[in-house]
């Protein structure tokens, strides 16, 4: 499951992300955060952390440096 999710994220980063303008207010980007979280914690907990991060990514958030803890 972990490999499947990581390959989907990598496909997104390779083919879809370059067509969009850079707009992520966080560092590392949300896709890199997802890769780090899933690699470190596995598909379930890493996926949960990724969803929380994506929900925090909005115009009212400060952004900044937010690594996987």
């Amino acid at each position: 499951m972990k490999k499947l999710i990581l390959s989907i994220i990598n496909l997104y980063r390779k083919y879809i992300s370059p067509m969009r303008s850079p707009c992520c207010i966080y560092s590392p980007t949300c896709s890199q955060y997802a890769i780090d979280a899933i690699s470190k914690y596995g598909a379930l907990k890493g996926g949960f952390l990724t969803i929380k991060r994506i929900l925090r990514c909005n115009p009212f958030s400060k952004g900044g440096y937010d690594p996987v803890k």
Side-chain angles (χ1 to χ4, degrees):
M1 187 67 163
K2 181 176 166 179
K3 288 181 181 180
L4 175 66
I5 295 170
L6 290 175
S7 63
I8 291 170
I9 294 169
N10 284 325
L11 286 172
Y12 164 80
R13 292 182 73 174
K14 187 173 183 179
Y15 296 109
I16 297 172
S17 184
M19 293 188 294
R20 302 178 65 212
S21 63
C23 61
C24 193
I25 59 175
Y26 284 106
S27 176
T29 62
C30 292
S31 58
Q32 184 61 49
Y33 183 93
I35 290 171
D36 295 342
I38 293 168
S39 296
K40 185 173 183 178
Y41 294 113
L44 288 177
K45 185 174 180 183
F48 177 71
L49 291 172
T50 300
I51 290 169
K52 280 179 45 178
R53 165 71 177 272
I54 291 171
L55 291 175
R56 285 194 317 257
C57 192
N58 61 60
F60 304 108
S61 180
K62 292 182 195 176
Y65 185 65
D66 181 29
V68 175
K69 296 174 183 153

